[in-house]
Amino acid sequence: MSGAGEWLASEKAFYVTTPIYYVNDAPHIGHAYTTTAGDFLTRWHRQRGEKVWYLTGVDEHGTKVQRAADAGGVTPQQWVDRLVEQSWLPVLETVDAANDDFIRTTQSRHVERVQKFWEKVRDNGFVYSDAYEGPYCVGCEEFKFPGDLIEGTGEFEGQMVCPVHGKPAEELREDNWFFKLSAFGDRLIEHYEAHPNAVRPQSAYNEVMAFLRKGLVDISMSRSSVDWGIPLTWDPEQVVYVWFDALLNYATAVGYGSEPGTDEAARYATTWPADVHLVGKDILRFHAVYWPAMLLAADQPMPKQVFAHGWLLVGGEKMSKSKLTGIAPEQIIDHFGSDAFRYYFMRAISFGQDGSFSWEDMTARYTSELANGLGNLASRATAMVGKYRDGVLPEAGPLTAAEDAVVERLAAASVAADRAMDELDFATAIGEVRSVVELVNQYVTEVEPWVLAKDEANAQRLDTVLYTMCEALRGVAVLYNPLMPKAMSSLWQHLGAHEALGELGAQRVSEAGRWGQLPAGAHVTKGYALFPRLPDDAPES
């Protein structure tokens, strides 16, 4: 985590969050997908030289957790402590995430600030006591409207079921406290009409606007039949409804409710509102309707953008534990490595749309795009500098049209990739950098440096080719560093760039496309393969 002192500065941090994940079980690659997306985005902004804050964490309250703990024969706190330590924190290291904070909803900093928040909302007149009667899906931890449910099939034929979990909702009758959600429908419509990029992609925006225009109804903000949660200060027999507890993590983690004049208060002032909430599309309503309404009720700024990505599908089904399609991230990373995991899921799936994962497709992309593409180019470039120039990068001679094409492609790709990242269009950004690799591989095939090396008369021409290969890789290493930090750190070392240009993380994406930065005389070493041949064994399906 960054030092507190920097938060005393007035510069606004670029603040990105993932959803906080339920800890009723271990994480699967659907969770790792969102975390990787946030990590890629925030690393990119760091490489722009911006101040960044990246938050992830876990939601530890609610009926699902309480029942899972009961089934396991332990207390809810024992259950969540074990899962966080053994599963949720380790997965961050597995996917190579560089988050700045990890919030747990059982932490006192969260509990106390949630209570302060709802006291403020109550004082503002947006909380009242009433009875709730209706369906509740424990899987979603959501009060359902009758129109949310669909006709069941199979064993649930003739019953109304949750469309996400395919099971009947439970019928509740509770005396709870309600949040006046209905008071904020018009204000939210007005806000989203004025800020259409506040909910993305377009399909998500359309869904939210349609929901708002149907009219909002008040919703229970507490539960009287659940023990595992944050007690209301004015009614300790009730706990905050798990979503109205969990959503607040985005604000409590960065200091909402802190004492004025403290470092925590300074962090909140220079971090909130969030720039991007990354969420799955199944929890869009909570983040784009309930959450901003809560903030308005407490006189707080709304987040700048909620971006709802699609589902990961395996065999046509959404990635989930309940349908047994959950795959642990380490199953994939142990085989392919974390860089390849990050590359594949950001490259192969258009962020914002559903995408299918298959072992075969990942293997094919690893082989063609990473091992035979980037890895082979890096190996050839460094090996040839070692073989023909004793590992010392030569000075380039005059450039021909072939080199000019590489220079122009690197410059254009760096600009286009940066623009795509602003749109959270990760696949396009990666494709722009990959186009440089493809062009240089084609360039090497056409100019045949191994043929040039046979005639001393071509020495200057060979120097130019070797320099072009290495300098292009220098730019690629900078642009790919937020995506594949381990492999690019190795490439940076192999090119001698660390010694010549300094830390890779200090290189700016805005400068990545400027030609001629890697100096002649840099010590180039072949090193080990960036993307080694995959082991033959793969997990059984």
Side-chain angles (χ1 to χ4, degrees):
M1 293 175 57
S2 302
E6 74 175 77
W7 298 99
L8 302 179
S10 60
E11 179 190 0
K12 168 74 170 71
F14 181 73
Y15 180 30
V16 176
T17 72
T18 70
I20 53 171
Y21 307 113
Y22 280 127
V23 292
N24 58 311
D25 210 335
H28 56 61
I29 60 171
H31 305 112
Y33 174 63
T34 315
T35 301
T36 298
D39 192 66
F40 180 27
L41 178 62
T42 48
R43 283 181 186 262
W44 187 277
H45 279 262
R46 286 192 188 99
Q47 201 124 9
R48 283 179 174 174
E50 297 176 16
K51 188 165 95 174
V52 170
W53 199 255
Y54 180 36
L55 174 71
T56 188
V58 285
D59 180 2
E60 302 183 7
H61 290 135
T63 308
K64 277 198 295 190
V65 172
Q66 186 169 336
R67 289 181 181 178
D70 291 343
V74 296
T75 67
Q77 190 66 58
Q78 289 171 325
W79 179 262
V80 297
D81 285 347
R82 187 186 69 193
L83 277 170
V84 169
E85 291 301 322
Q86 295 181 2
S87 299
W88 289 94
L89 288 174
V91 81
L92 294 172
E93 185 174 349
T94 299
V95 302
D96 204 12
N99 54 298
D100 294 285
D101 195 4
F102 185 89
I103 183 74
R104 298 180 58 181
T105 56
T106 55
Q107 290 172 329
S108 59
R109 60 170 173 158
H110 177 74
V111 172
E112 294 164 2
R113 293 166 185 174
V114 166
Q115 291 173 327
K116 282 186 179 181
F117 180 91
W118 282 107
E119 286 172 356
K120 174 68 172 177
V121 175
R122 183 173 181 246
D123 290 345
N124 284 351
F126 295 112
V127 171
Y128 64 92
S129 179
D130 204 348
Y132 173 80
E133 186 169 4
Y136 187 88
C137 175
V138 175
C140 295
E141 291 283 13
E142 181 178 4
F143 297 97
K144 295 290 187 180
F145 301 110
D148 292 334
L149 305 179
I150 61 174
E151 291 281 351
T153 58
E155 65 175 307
F156 301 122
E157 187 173 356
Q159 301 181 63
M160 302 302 289
V161 302
C162 168
V164 177
H165 294 90
K167 298 178 181 179
E170 300 181 7
E171 286 296 319
L172 295 185
R173 169 63 176 83
E174 296 182 355
D175 292 319
N176 296 334
W177 291 88
F178 275 68
F179 171 52
K180 290 185 181 179
L181 183 65
S182 59
F184 300 97
D186 290 343
R187 290 178 66 180
L188 290 175
I189 290 172
E190 181 181 352
H191 174 74
Y192 289 140
E193 286 179 340
H195 303 90
N197 283 333
V199 179
R200 296 191 62 206
Q202 187 64 42
S203 58
Y205 177 85
N206 295 341
E207 178 184 335
V208 168
M209 294 302 283
F211 182 76
L212 288 170
R213 288 179 175 131
K214 286 191 299 186
L216 299 180
V217 298
D218 297 346
I219 184 172
S220 177
M221 58 76 53
S222 73
R223 299 290 310 277
S224 57
S225 64
V226 179
D227 297 326
W228 184 237
I230 299 176
L232 297 179
T233 54
W234 67 88
D235 188 353
E237 297 301 311
Q238 301 217 24
V239 301
V240 178
Y241 166 42
V242 63
W243 271 103
F244 287 173
D245 153 5
L247 287 164
L248 274 160
N249 90 90
Y250 306 126
T252 63
V254 292
Y256 170 83
S258 300
E259 290 298 318
T262 63
D263 285 349
E264 284 289 293
R267 177 179 288 120
Y268 187 72
T270 55
T271 306
W272 192 259
D275 291 86
V276 183
H277 286 320
L278 298 177
V279 302
K281 65 180 183 180
D282 51 335
I283 54 175
L284 174 62
R285 184 188 301 176
F286 290 101
H287 287 82
V289 178
Y290 299 169
W291 174 225
M294 289 163 55
L295 290 164
L296 288 173
D299 304 318
Q300 296 298 309
M302 289 183 283
K304 295 181 181 178
Q305 184 179 98
V306 174
F307 196 105
H309 65 71
W311 287 340
L312 285 187
L313 307 175
V314 176
E317 289 195 3
K318 178 197 172 189
M319 183 72 59
S320 69
K321 294 182 288 289
S322 60
K323 292 187 177 180
L324 304 181
T325 53
I327 300 173
E330 57 267 23
Q331 286 182 269
I332 299 173
I333 291 172
D334 285 349
H335 185 77
F336 293 97
S338 61
D339 282 334
F341 178 95
R342 294 163 64 94
Y343 178 90
Y344 175 81
F345 284 102
M346 297 298 98
R347 164 72 174 146
I349 299 168
S350 181
F351 200 66
Q353 300 178 18
D354 293 348
S356 295
F357 163 76
S358 78
W359 195 270
E360 294 75 18
D361 183 48
M362 187 167 180
T363 299
R365 286 182 182 269
Y366 178 97
T367 302
S368 65
E369 299 181 18
L370 295 180
N372 295 343
L374 176 56
N376 186 50
L377 175 60
S379 179
R380 287 203 291 178
T382 54
M384 283 192 279
V385 173
K387 181 177 181 179
Y388 303 136
R389 295 297 181 262
D390 295 322
V392 178
L393 185 67
E395 186 172 347
L399 304 187
T400 70
E403 287 79 43
D404 287 341
V406 174
V407 173
E408 291 166 6
R409 177 87 294 268
L410 177 61
S414 64
V415 172
D418 198 33
R419 187 180 304 121
M421 290 299 291
D422 276 335
E423 299 300 316
L424 276 64
D425 186 355
F426 303 136
T428 293
I430 295 166
E432 287 290 338
V433 187
R434 182 172 171 244
S435 73
V436 178
V437 176
E438 291 178 325
L439 179 61
V440 178
N441 269 323
Q442 179 185 345
Y443 162 82
V444 173
T445 299
E446 292 173 354
V447 299
E448 299 181 310
W450 49 89
V451 174
L452 293 174
K454 294 177 180 179
D455 187 345
E456 187 61 31
N458 297 323
Q460 188 181 58
R461 180 69 187 137
L462 177 59
D463 287 347
T464 301
V465 173
L466 296 177
Y467 184 86
T468 298
M469 295 169 69
C470 291
E471 171 62 1
L473 283 168
R474 188 269 320 153
V476 167
V478 174
L479 296 170
Y480 266 162
N481 186 49
L483 179 65
M484 298 184 285
K486 289 179 179 176
M488 293 307 99
S489 178
S490 295
L491 176 57
W492 196 248
Q493 295 286 346
H494 295 169
L495 294 171
H498 178 83
E499 188 177 86
L501 299 174
E503 294 284 346
L504 175 56
Q507 312 302 309
R508 297 291 168 248
V509 292
S510 60
E511 290 291 302
R514 181 170 59 81
W515 193 260
Q517 296 182 51
L518 192 61
H523 296 285
V524 178
T525 55
K526 185 175 187 299
Y528 53 84
L530 296 180
F531 302 100
R533 182 179 179 275
L534 293 171
D536 293 331
D537 58 310
E540 295 182 4
S541 58

